[in-house]
Amino acid sequence: MSTKACILIVEDEPIICNFIATTLSANNYKVIQCNTGKEAIALIPSHCPEVVLLDLGLPDMDGLNLLKEVRQWTGIPIIVISERDDEKSKVLALDSGADDYITKPFGTSELLARIRTAIRHNTRLETGHTFPLNTFKAKDLFIDFNKHMVNVNGEDVHLTQIEFKLVSLLAQSAGKVLTYDYIITKIWGPFAVKDNQILRVNMANIRRKLEKNPVDPEYIFTEIGVGYRMLEDD
Ligand code: CA
């Protein structure tokens, strides 16, 4: 990377803020920090950071409201940093426009991986020509979207129409968690009953077909109570 990617940290706890800032600087990112929502709203348009790391519990506003406001004028990648471990706030954050979330306490490598994924997705969207993807490859999984072809280890996998749609949806957003509601709306339409049962059944069938060990998947991961995430492509 020739120019350093700029990351804005919006976090009011100095220890966490400094830990993240030190980690990112050491990994060749340019870092801007602030500790209120108001400052963040001013800094995003003036500095155009590549990624925003957003704490949900800010002194002057709820991070979710900040998220919704910022989403009205920019698609900039936002990763929510939350100590709220409950599934509901993760889902709310994702459905309010967050690209990803990371729960405190988190490790350095997890943080860096999430940032890399967010930057990659955004670059892809901006350059346009590789998005949507024509093909997808992660480890031994290969998908050709135009030919409706999925294979694992060189062997063709036969998926139903719905299963193929599900795998495609996850693969096009590989590395990102997609919430149950988002997936159901995309596959079964906006008026579908938000019932996870049909989704779970389909996912179980997909896993039987794709994974060596469906209980310990290597391609499609469950984010319990939140949704599913496809392994990032190579
Ligand atoms: Ca906080």
Side-chain angles (χ1 to χ4, degrees), residues 11-13 55 57-58 83 104:
E11 166 67 80
D12 62 319
E13 284 163 64
D55 175 29
L58 295 170
E83 49 206 328
K104 298 173 192 173

Side-chain angles (χ1 to χ4, degrees), residues 55-66:
D55 175 29
L56 286 184
L58 295 170
D60 61 334
M61 67 169 79
D62 189 309
L64 281 176
N65 291 333
L66 171 66

Side-chain angles (χ1 to χ4, degrees), residues 2-231:
S2 50
T3 33
K4 290 184 179 183
C6 174
I7 316 285
L8 171 64
I9 309 168
V10 190
E11 166 67 80
D12 62 319
E13 284 163 64
I15 294 173
I16 298 176
C17 199
N18 291 336
F19 161 73
I20 299 173
T22 310
T23 305
L24 295 183
S25 302
N27 283 276
N28 217 26
Y29 288 105
K30 188 182 158 207
V31 179
I32 318 170
Q33 309 176 32
C34 69
N35 44 37
T36 65
K38 234 183 179 162
E39 286 173 275
I41 287 171
L43 284 168
I44 293 170
S46 62
H47 285 71
C48 296
E50 266 79 12
V51 175
V52 177
L53 299 176
L54 174 65
D55 175 29
L56 286 184
L58 295 170
D60 61 334
M61 67 169 79
D62 189 309
L64 281 176
N65 291 333
L66 171 66
L67 190 59
K68 287 177 197 155
E69 184 165 340
V70 170
R71 271 293 170 261
Q72 290 175 16
W73 41 269
T74 176
I76 182 178
I78 298 176
I79 301 173
V80 159
I81 302 173
S82 175
E83 49 206 328
R84 303 174 193 179
D85 197 19
D86 65 303
E87 293 143 3
K88 219 175 140 196
S89 50
K90 289 175 185 170
V91 172
L92 257 175
L94 293 168
D95 286 339
S96 302
D99 292 82
D100 206 346
Y101 63 82
I102 186 163
T103 307
K104 298 173 192 173
F106 49 83
T108 305
S109 53
E110 191 186 358
L111 174 69
L112 293 171
R114 298 298 172 88
I115 290 174
R116 276 197 306 271
T117 302
I119 291 178
R120 242 176 116 197
H121 276 284
N122 204 40
T123 313
R124 230 174 230 175
L125 285 172
E126 277 173 356
T127 50
H129 70 280
T130 50
F131 200 86
L133 304 172
N134 294 319
T135 59
F136 172 90
K137 190 192 170 302
K139 289 191 189 171
D140 297 320
L141 172 64
F142 178 79
I143 304 171
D144 186 319
F145 296 102
N146 301 322
K147 292 181 185 160
H148 277 232
M149 195 190 75
V150 176
N151 78 52
V152 176
N153 263 323
E155 304 257 335
D156 280 349
V157 177
H158 296 283
L159 297 178
T160 65
Q161 193 86 354
I162 292 283
E163 289 165 2
F164 181 78
K165 279 190 186 173
L166 280 166
V167 171
S168 302
L169 182 67
L170 288 161
Q172 291 285 353
S173 295
K176 268 180 76 162
V177 196
L178 303 183
T179 63
Y180 298 125
D181 280 7
Y182 176 85
I183 296 173
I184 291 169
T185 303
K186 282 284 180 186
I187 304 295
W188 287 279
F191 305 112
V193 182
K194 298 286 184 286
D195 169 16
N196 297 346
Q197 184 59 25
I198 184 160
L199 178 57
R200 274 204 302 272
V201 169
N202 275 282
M203 290 306 299
N205 289 334
I206 290 170
R207 282 193 169 129
R208 259 193 308 104
K209 296 177 183 181
L210 298 189
E211 307 279 0
K212 259 180 244 147
N213 180 4
V215 184
D216 181 21
E218 50 181 330
Y219 298 113
I220 300 174
F221 309 105
T222 301
E223 302 278 332
I224 296 165
V226 180
Y228 296 100
R229 182 200 295 266
M230 171 76 87
L231 175 72

